[in-house]
Structures are given as structure tokens and as C-alpha cells.
Amino acid sequence: MSAGIMANKVLQFFLVKIIIGVIVVGGLVAFSEWSLRLVLVSSPITDINKYAIISVTDIVLALAGYVLLFRFYEKRKISELSIAGFGKNATAGFLTGALLQSVFILVIYIAASYTITAIYPASSLLPSFTTAINAGFIAEILLRGVLFRITEEALGTVIALLIQIILFTVMHINVPGGNLLSLATTVIQAGLLLPSAYILTRSLWFPIFLHFAWDFIEPGIFGAINPGNNVGGGLFTSSIQGHWLITGGQMGPQNSLQAFIFCSLLTVLFLWMAKKRNKFIPPSWSSRN
């Protein structure tokens, strides 16, 4: 076997592709963060506007890096970020995330206590908005676009989902203040719900905007605790009282019992629909038989 053929086999190995994808996309984002903070440190621009500039640049570089890298690397059209599917999938993703968070709060309002104690101008949404949209794009491009997609193509949908479950279990098993319920909800949400949204639509826009809405609505609109978006500020300041199973305690409503139930049901629905539509991918070795 020639050196060229061997090199190509190595480059096409799924773990190598994942590493290259993470280095390229993650490296571009890290460089953006470092260089812009260096440039903007002495600027008279307010801190929130500085962060907005950094977030927009991060998102543009992550998208461009992903599209250009895999268009060249895999020699294909990047259909998972198709502009044609943007409107439908982004809207559906955002509404799904917003509806889920609203249902969690509704259950707290009915079964425990949710009270709005202060209302602020719409401009107060900017810190939460920029943090959430940055997290939605960067996390989903890396976790779903690179890690899950490439693993799924090599090992199949079922094994790729199992790996996501293991990954998020390991990542969150020792989170300060966490408990078995918060671990279970996180694994369902990040390890199954978001991948299942991608499997069903085969579009990254759906999980990107679901993730964005999720991280934005909880703290930005309802004034609740969100472990992934703790910048402070939002439209409302709220008081949440009640049993931790319903309120999520110090981990917030997204780690409540109702969050676990509704996210589990939606995940099952997404996967059932995906299976019926033949969206599951078999392991690559089975297709060779």
C-alpha cells in the first residue's frame, strides 16, 4: 500500500476527522476570542457591546470554518447548514426550546410558586441573548456537527447516541450542586434530545436554535436559574419557591422533574418519527455486507 493511500485512510478515519474538525472550528473560535479581547480591551465600547462583537465573530468563523473544512475534506455539499432549510428549521427549533422552558415554568406556577418581582426594559435582554446565541451555535456545531455527525456516519445512529449519553454523563456527574435528577435531565437534554432533533431534520439549524432558545428564555425572559447562562439580567426578576423536584432547586427549572418528563417524551417522539422516516444510519460495516 502506497504512502498516499495510507495517509488518505488515516485522514478518513472518523476519529481523525473529529479531531481535525474540533481543532479547526474550535481553534478559529479560540483565536477570535483571544484576538478580539486583546483589541477591544482598551476600547470605549461597553462590555456588553464588546461581547456582542465577539459573539457575532465567533459564530461567523465557526460557521465558515465548518462549511469550508468539510466541503473540502468530505467533498460534498454541506446540506446540514443549507440556507434553504434555515427558516423552517430555525423557527421550529427556537419555538421548541421556548415552549419547553415555558411549560417548565407553567408547572412551577401551578404546583409551586413563581412570582415576577421586577420588570426591566427590553435592552436588559442583550447579555442573556448574546451568551445564549453564542452557546447555541458553537456548542451545536462542535457537538452535533462534528462529534455526533461523524461518529454516526462511522458507527451508526444508535451507537452514536450511546456515546453522547456516556459523554454527557461523564461531563456532568460531578457538577457542583448537582444530583441524580439534574444529571438525568442533562443527559436526556444534551445527550438525546438535541441529537434526536438533528437526526429527525438532518439540519443543524434545528438543534442550534433549540439550544439558543433554551439558554435564552429561561434566564432572559423568566429570570430563572440556567447553569449554562449565568450572566445575570433579563426581562424579569422572579421568585421561585417550592420543592426542588418541581423548581429544580439551585440547578434551575431545566433540571426539574417536569423537565425530565417532557424532554424524555419529546426525545422519544423525535426518534420515533426519525425511525419511521428512515433517518437512522446503520453502522458503516453493516452496509459493506
Side-chain angles (χ1 to χ4, degrees):
M1 185 180 293
S2 70
I5 294 174
M6 178 62 73
N8 185 62
K9 281 185 172 292
V10 170
L11 285 173
Q12 294 304 318
F13 183 57
F14 79 100
L15 288 178
V16 174
K17 289 173 70 172
I18 289 171
I19 292 169
I20 291 173
V22 169
I23 289 173
V24 171
V25 177
L28 284 170
V29 172
F31 176 76
S32 167
E33 293 270 347
W34 172 78
S35 60
L36 285 176
R37 288 183 191 280
L38 194 66
V39 169
L40 296 172
V41 66
S42 58
S43 169
I45 302 172
T46 62
D47 286 345
I48 186 56
N49 286 331
K50 289 177 184 178
Y51 187 67
I53 292 170
I54 292 170
S55 291
V56 170
T57 308
D58 286 352
I59 290 168
V60 170
L61 287 176
L63 286 171
Y66 179 90
V67 170
L68 293 175
L69 171 65
F70 289 108
R71 182 181 291 166
F72 169 78
Y73 199 163
E74 299 175 335
K75 295 179 173 52
R76 66 180 180 88
K77 181 180 178 182
I78 309 302
S79 58
E80 64 270 27
L81 285 173
S82 167
I83 298 301
F86 173 80
K88 176 180 69 176
N89 288 302
T91 301
F94 187 88
L95 290 177
T96 300
L99 180 60
L100 282 170
Q101 290 287 5
S102 300
V103 170
F104 305 160
I105 296 296
L106 178 62
V107 172
I108 293 172
Y109 178 77
I110 293 170
S113 173
Y114 174 83
T115 306
I116 295 171
T117 57
I119 302 176
Y120 299 96
S123 59
S124 63
L125 291 170
L126 190 57
S128 186
F129 180 92
T130 52
T131 300
I133 198 165
N134 183 282
F137 271 83
I138 306 306
E140 294 310 309
I141 288 172
L142 287 171
L143 291 172
R144 251 55 69 176
V146 177
L147 179 58
F148 180 79
R149 179 185 63 80
I150 295 173
T151 303
E152 184 189 27
E153 289 173 358
L155 305 180
T157 300
V158 174
I159 295 176
L161 285 172
L162 290 173
I163 290 172
Q164 292 265 302
I165 291 170
I166 295 168
L167 172 66
F168 284 100
T169 299
V170 171
M171 287 172 60
H172 293 88
I173 197 165
N174 289 317
V175 170
N179 52 49
L180 186 58
L181 178 60
S182 66
L183 176 62
T185 54
T186 299
V187 171
I188 286 291
Q189 293 154 6
L192 285 172
L193 177 60
L194 286 164
S196 71
Y198 169 72
I199 295 166
L200 175 62
T201 61
R202 291 298 165 191
S203 169
L204 284 175
W205 298 124
F206 194 107
I208 284 171
F209 277 84
L210 195 164
H211 192 150
F212 160 47
W214 182 279
D215 280 359
F216 172 57
I217 297 295
E218 189 172 32
I221 301 297
F222 293 118
I225 297 169
N226 182 297
N229 186 351
N230 56 6
V231 295
L235 190 62
F236 301 139
T237 295
S238 63
S239 173
I240 296 176
Q241 303 292 329
H243 197 283
W244 65 270
L245 282 173
I246 301 299
T247 66
Q250 63 180 313
M251 301 301 290
Q254 71 175 40
N255 289 295
S256 62
L257 180 60
Q258 66 269 25
F260 176 79
I261 293 170
F262 284 109
C263 289
S264 297
L265 291 174
L266 189 58
T267 297
V268 170
L269 176 63
F270 280 175
L271 292 176
W272 176 75
M273 292 171 65
K275 186 68 174 175
K276 287 202 68 173
R277 297 176 186 179
N278 295 316
K279 296 294 184 73
F280 274 46
I281 296 174
S284 58
W285 60 81
S286 69
S287 62
R288 300 192 198 108
N289 295 333

